[in-house]
Amino acid sequence: NEQKKKMVVASIGVIGGSGIYSMAGIRVIREIEVDTPFGKPSDKYILADVSGVLVVFLPRHGRGHLYNPSEVNYRANIFGMKLLGVKWLLAVSAVGSLREEIVPGQVVLVDQFIDRTSKRSSTFFEGGIVGHVPFSHPVCSTLHSLLKASCKELGTAFHERGTYVNMEGPAFSTVAESFLYRSWHADVIGMTAMTEAKLAREAEISYGLLAMATDYDCWRPDTHAVTVDAVVAVLHANASTAQSLIRHCVGLIAKYTDVEPAAWNCLRTAIMTSPERIPVETFRRLAPILKKYFPDQVAAADPNTVTFDL
């Protein structure tokens, strides 16, 4: 079984649009199909060499943009990254601006979220196990600092912090909603990132978000409401910016040797369920996440559990 082989892992992952791995200075090595206990991820993972560093890419909505924000299998996407050995996850996401000063085309390094979703699964801890991960600071501070350094070194116009409202979608906001979110002091609005951030935290993966402002949503009276055409046009115009930042940040991550991010050990005090009450099937299903804390139980549940061979 190919999925049971011992393997070399890639510690850096990138989730974004299909074009994010078509940047200069990247060499695609191969595509990897991964099965997870939560179903199929959005697409095959792309293993690539980015200036000498192994990186795993995944198009969030699938190539050709097949899945709407509610249909994306976030659990499978993040679990697949965990299986592949990813410890650092860079996400690129289009967002609407809720602030005059956040101009379409600029980058926002999101550090907080407000969750307005209602139709998606956003936890691995169910089916006989309960876990409560710390999430007051949902973005990895180390990864946030590295993204900030990349923006500065490349001279990119960016906003150091921002609160992201994660709406359900797929329809864009009403005017009333847009003004409500502004009254909450939110800065940008999107449909995907908070779900990824929650699951990445549960999987002990450092998560950082590069949000690309594409429009002013619909709150600005002298600006047309957001449309798909407008979003795509700004994304295409700024594709090279996102690619350059990802490439640069990958290089910084590869050189990072300082203090371990807190996200890497956040499950140490998060599991509430007594180990003897956790079903064997749950240990088997969550083996890549639980094996560090319950090695004997995971080994007994699935002695062949190892990461995926790249």
Side-chain angles (χ1 to χ4, degrees), residues 216-244:
Y216 277 117
D217 201 39
C218 60
W219 62 269
R220 205 164 177 250
D222 57 345
T223 302
H224 291 299
V226 58
T227 66
V228 169
D229 287 348
V231 169
V232 172
V234 175
L235 282 177
H236 285 170
N238 293 277
S240 61
T241 298
Q243 292 172 349
S244 296

Side-chain angles (χ1 to χ4, degrees), residues 33-36 38-43 73 76-77:
E33 189 166 0
V34 177
D35 287 316
T36 82
F38 304 96
K40 287 279 191 182
S42 295
D43 210 315
N73 193 340
N77 288 352

Side-chain angles (χ1 to χ4, degrees), residues 13 36 75 136 178 192 219 223 308:
T36 82
R75 291 198 294 185
S136 57
S178 199
T192 57
W219 62 269
T223 302
F308 209 95

